[in-house]
């Protein structure tokens, strides 16, 4: 089993060491363990690797500092040993990464978002653009420039409140519970699906919310990329310690899942949002 560890050394400058901080009590019932593969339900799964996640900005001493990953022998999917309880999610959601604050780096991110939208335009050019987990909201702001009606969805109430201040409609709820007055033309899940304990539920909701021929725009890290393998070889792959991720997909497993959930991938690309990420445009097809 591969062991990834990410540590940082510091230089002690004080002559008299400060008293050691009192550690926060460890959260009981932090994870709900997967009893089977979250994609194919096979129980043929085996440990793959572990990683130290204490370097992550959303880490708290109340959480375990070690993340354990498994691989499904039946479908090849790679996933964390379990997903957070509601109590643990409250700890993780106490703050927001700077890059996910609404309006962050707005001008530069506009160019990144424009390239994503250009990939959608051959298939849909107007209507509601629903962005699930909208983060800094650059994709929605830019989609609005292109003539789409923006609609945001996020699980952080503070983020939703902030987007509303910018005049964009937003909801704080799970996509599986969302209802729309009319189907969306586009649903984007930009670096979101890997955060969902059961991705098939999220993709099922996207299929339900889209109009016939609607577009699903999805991005996430690509475990099959040569860059990913190089980072593994160097023991420097940050995604094994990404505290909010439950899944690591490669292109083949993602495409198979999309087909199972009623989507036809029509374009593959390299995402510029984050390191080692892929970007896929898929169309809703009848199920």
């Amino acid at each position: 089993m591969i062991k990834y560890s990410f540590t940082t050394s510091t230089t002690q400058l004080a002559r008299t060491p400060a008293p050691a901080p009192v550690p926060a009590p460890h959260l009981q019932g932090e994870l709900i363990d997967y009893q089977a593969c979250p994609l194919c339900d096979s129980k043929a799964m085996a440990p793959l690797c572990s990683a130290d996640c204490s370097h992550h900005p959303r880490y708290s001493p109340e959480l375990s500092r070690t993340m354990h990953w498994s691989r499904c022998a039946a479908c090849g999917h790679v996933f964390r040993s379990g997903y957070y309880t509601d109590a643990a999610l409250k700890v993780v959601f106490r703050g927001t990464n700077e890059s996910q604050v609404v309006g962050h780096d707005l001008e530069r991110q506009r160019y990144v978002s424009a390239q994503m939208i250009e990939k959608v335009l051959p298939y849909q050019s107007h209507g509601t653009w629903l962005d699930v987990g909208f983060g800094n909201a650059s994709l929605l702001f830019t989609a609005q420039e292109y003539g789409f009606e923006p609609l945001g969805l996020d699980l952080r109430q503070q983020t939703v409140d902030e987007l509303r201040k910018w005049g964009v409609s937003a909801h704080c709820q799970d996509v599986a519970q969302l209802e729309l007055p009319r189907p969306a033309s586009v649903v984007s899940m930009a670096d979101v699906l890997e955060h969902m304990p059961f991705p098939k539920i999220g993709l099922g909701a996207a299929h339900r919310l889209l109009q016939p021929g609607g577009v699903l725009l999805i991005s996430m890290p690509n475990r099959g990329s040569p860059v990913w393998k190089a980072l593994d070889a160097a023991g420097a792959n940050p995604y094994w310690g990404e505290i909010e991720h439950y899944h690591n997909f490669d292109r083949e497993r993602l495409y198979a899942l999309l087909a199972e959930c009623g989507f036809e991938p029509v374009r593959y690309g390299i995402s510029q949002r984050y390191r080692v990420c892929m970007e896929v445009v898929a169309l809703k097809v009848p199920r």
Side-chain angles (χ1 to χ4, degrees), residues 166-186:
W166 289 69
V168 176
S169 297
H171 302 285
C172 184
Q173 65 181 114
D174 192 296
V175 66
Q177 278 74 56
L178 182 66
E179 299 289 340
L180 296 178
R182 62 181 183 277
S185 298
V186 181

Side-chain angles (χ1 to χ4, degrees), residues 2 4 226-237 240:
I2 306 170
Y4 290 92
V227 178
W228 181 287
K229 295 173 184 178
L231 290 171
D232 273 356
N237 191 329
W240 298 116

Side-chain angles (χ1 to χ4, degrees), residues 120-184:
V120 169
L121 293 181
Y123 311 99
Q124 292 291 337
S125 59
H126 62 278
T128 298
W129 185 305
L130 170 65
D131 192 19
V132 180
F134 54 82
N136 60 31
S138 170
L139 189 56
L140 284 176
F141 293 146
T142 312
Q144 188 175 36
E145 285 193 61
Y146 276 79
F148 289 94
E149 179 185 342
L151 176 62
L153 193 69
D154 203 276
L155 294 179
R156 286 178 164 92
Q157 184 64 56
Q158 181 179 355
T159 303
V160 169
D161 293 342
E162 186 62 28
L163 183 59
R164 289 172 177 167
K165 293 178 183 177
W166 289 69
V168 176
S169 297
H171 302 285
C172 184
Q173 65 181 114
D174 192 296
V175 66
Q177 278 74 56
L178 182 66
E179 299 289 340
L180 296 178
R182 62 181 183 277

